[in-house]
Amino acid sequence: PKSAPPKTVSEEQVREVVGAYFSSLRTMDVDRLQELFDEDALSWDPVGSPPMRVRDKSTNYFRVLSTIFEKMALTEDDIFVCGNEVAVRWTGVAMLRSKPTEVTFEGASVFEVNEDGFIQSIRSYWDKKALMARL
């Protein structure tokens, strides 16, 4: 018996889910953000810190973000899709709820999208210490 061909995700699907991630982050649509991730998805934000389970109810990753930041808007500068992975160089604008000063910062994120079209992992590269010091 022939085995079914492995399911693959199209470049269009990869671009769509990653685009939805950035647009949902800009509008702080926490519920929409959660829906983009696989149940077991991990995030290293930034790389070097321990991975977090994005959909873990106890950490509530994006809700915590939205309680600390008034704004955490990342704009995609460059997008490179290779198979089911995409690297995005971005520019961010952050503003704490407690202090109305906007700070611009840059970074890059590498997303892995599974065959069901959900984000499986995200590895982000940016200088968290420098950003927090400026905020």
Side-chain angles (χ1 to χ4, degrees):
K2 285 185 177 175
S3 60
K7 276 203 319 189
T8 56
V9 62
S10 70
E11 179 176 332
E12 194 176 86
Q13 286 173 296
V14 170
R15 284 182 182 277
E16 196 174 298
V17 72
V18 170
Y21 168 84
F22 283 98
S23 65
S24 299
L25 193 58
R26 283 191 288 274
T27 59
M28 283 296 196
D29 185 343
V30 175
D31 295 325
R32 177 75 180 116
L33 275 165
Q34 296 275 25
E35 292 166 7
L36 300 172
F37 286 85
D38 183 79
E39 209 53 55
D40 300 319
L42 293 176
S43 173
W44 288 262
D45 193 15
V47 167
S49 55
M52 292 183 64
R53 290 199 41 179
V54 177
R55 297 188 69 162
D56 186 338
K57 298 272 189 277
S58 67
T59 55
N60 247 326
Y61 183 68
F62 291 115
R63 283 202 200 288
V64 169
L65 205 62
S66 68
T67 57
I68 298 169
F69 292 97
E70 176 74 34
K71 182 186 232 177
M72 178 55 80
L74 306 183
T75 303
E76 308 94 317
D77 298 325
D78 293 302
I79 300 170
F80 306 95
V81 178
C82 293
N84 70 324
E85 292 189 39
V86 60
V88 180
R89 191 174 65 75
W90 46 259
T91 302
V93 177
M95 185 169 73
L96 292 172
R97 290 198 176 276
S98 58
K99 198 166 113 190
T101 307
E102 284 193 358
V103 175
T104 302
F105 63 111
E106 295 178 318
S109 297
V110 177
F111 297 80
E112 184 184 354
V113 178
N114 66 22
E115 63 272 2
D116 295 319
F118 291 103
I119 298 169
Q120 187 65 53
S121 69
I122 175 172
R123 301 174 67 85
S124 295
Y125 300 83
W126 57 285
D127 191 339
K128 189 176 189 173
K129 277 192 193 121
L131 173 64
M132 296 316 279
R134 290 168 57 210
L135 288 164

